[in-house]
Amino acid sequence: MSASTDIRRRELADFLRSRRERITPEQVGLPRGARRRTPGLRREEVAQLSAVGVTWYTWLEQARDIQVSAQVLDAVARTLMLDPTERAHLFVLAGLPDPAPGSDCPYLTPSLLEVLERMEPLPACVMNSRYDILAYNRGYGWLVDDLDALPPEERNILWLIFTNPDWREAVVDRDQVIRRCTAQFRAAMAEHVAEPVWKLQVKRLQQVSEEFREVWSEHEVIRPSSTTKRFLNKRFGLLNMLHTSMWLGQRSGSRMVVYTPLDEETRERLDRLHAFALAQEDARRTPRRKAQPVAERRPVAV
C-alpha cells in the first residue's frame, strides 16, 4: 500500500466515524436504550441499516485494506444521511465514482441563480459535462419552447437535439451541432468512463436514436469552445447568437452558458421573447400565490 493510499484510507475512516457519531438513534428509527454510551450510532447499527456485514464496516472504520464497492458505499452514505458535499467527499476519499450523484450541483447557490435571472433577457443556463440542464432563466426556458413542460429526465441537450421534435426543428445547422455536442460529450466522458450514470446516458440514447449510434461510432473528440449558435424560434424567428461558457469548477465540470445576440434583429427578438416568457409566468400564477423564488421556478434536471 502506498503512503498516499494509506493516508486516504485513514481519512475515510475518520470521516465515517465522525458522521456516524453525529446521527442519533431516533433519527433512524432506533430506540436509544438506557445503557447507550456511544455517541451517535454504533458500528453494528450502521452495518445493519446499510445491509452490510458488521466486520466489514468495522474494518472500514479501522482503515483496513479491504475492497469497497460503490454500491455498498452508496448504502452507507444514505444511512449516515450525508448531504451532497459530504457524499462527494466520501466517494473521493474512497477513490470511487458515485453511482447515483443525482442532479445536485454544489455551484447552484442562491447567488448563482440570481445571476441567471439578472442575465435576462439574454438566455442563460447552468449545465454539467453530461449536458444535463441544471438551471435556467426565462429566456433559455423559451429559447425553443416551454422547457418547464418537459419531464426533468428530458432536460438534457443531447437528448433534446436527438429526440425532441421541437428542438430538432429549431436548431439550425443541426448536423454540425449534433456532431460537435457528441464529440464534446465523448471527450468529457473519458474522465468518467466507468461511472454508471454516464454509461446509462449513452445506452439510453443508443436505444432510441439510430442517428446518435452512427455519430457515436465515429469516436470524434473535441473540447468545448465559444461558437455561433442559431435557433429558429417558432414565435420570434431566427436567433443568431454567440454561445459562451463560463466554467464554475473544473474545466470538464459544470458551466454557465450564456447566449448573446450577434445582430440588432436578434437583440430585439430576445427582448420580445423575454416579455413573452414573463407573461407566461404571470399567467401560470394563481391570484393568491406569491411569486416563486428563483430556485423553485427553475426546475433542476435529472
Side-chain angles (χ1 to χ4, degrees), residues 144-253:
V144 172
D145 203 359
D146 186 7
L147 194 56
D148 286 357
L150 296 179
E153 62 272 15
E154 293 185 13
R155 296 184 201 135
N156 173 279
I157 296 299
L158 282 175
W159 183 263
L160 291 171
I161 62 177
F162 276 106
T163 72
N164 184 282
D166 292 329
W167 280 70
R168 289 172 62 92
E169 183 177 345
V171 176
V172 183
D173 308 315
R174 183 175 167 276
D175 183 67
Q176 177 184 343
V177 171
I178 63 174
R179 291 180 179 279
R180 171 175 288 276
C181 287
T182 303
Q184 290 177 173
F185 175 80
R186 182 181 281 279
M189 189 174 176
E191 300 178 18
H192 310 274
V193 68
E195 296 180 26
V197 67
W198 285 76
K199 294 191 291 186
L200 179 61
Q201 181 164 330
V202 173
K203 181 179 180 181
R204 186 168 172 244
L205 282 163
Q206 287 176 325
Q207 288 175 337
V208 300
S209 174
E210 180 179 352
E211 189 177 31
F212 175 79
R213 292 196 298 271
E214 178 182 341
V215 177
W216 185 252
S217 67
E218 296 175 5
H219 289 265
E220 295 293 332
V221 291
I222 58 173
R223 291 296 181 183
S225 60
S226 295
T227 57
T228 299
K229 291 291 180 69
R230 299 195 296 164
F231 289 87
L232 185 60
N233 187 285
K234 62 184 179 183
R235 293 179 178 85
F236 305 104
L238 183 64
L239 303 173
N240 294 307
M241 299 174 292
L242 179 66
H243 163 287
T244 302
S245 293
M246 293 178 281
W247 299 94
L248 303 175
Q250 300 179 18
R251 177 68 178 174
S252 59

Side-chain angles (χ1 to χ4, degrees), residues 43-44 47 52-62 64 66:
R43 286 172 175 169
E44 57 266 27
V52 301
V54 176
T55 300
W56 180 88
Y57 183 77
T58 300
W59 285 355
L60 189 62
E61 276 202 13
Q62 291 175 345
R64 300 277 193 98
I66 59 175

Side-chain angles (χ1 to χ4, degrees), residues 250-265:
Q250 300 179 18
R251 177 68 178 174
S252 59
S254 299
R255 62 192 185 274
M256 179 185 290
V257 174
V258 182
Y259 291 88
T260 52
L262 288 173
D263 52 62
E264 287 303 316
E265 191 171 27

Side-chain angles (χ1 to χ4, degrees), residues 34-49:
R35 299 182 178 180
R36 179 177 291 270
R37 296 179 180 178
T38 303
L41 296 178
R42 299 186 178 101
R43 286 172 175 169
E44 57 266 27
E45 290 170 336
V46 174
Q48 178 184 0
L49 292 168

Side-chain angles (χ1 to χ4, degrees), residues 140 190 269 286:
Y140 193 90
R269 288 172 177 172
T286 60

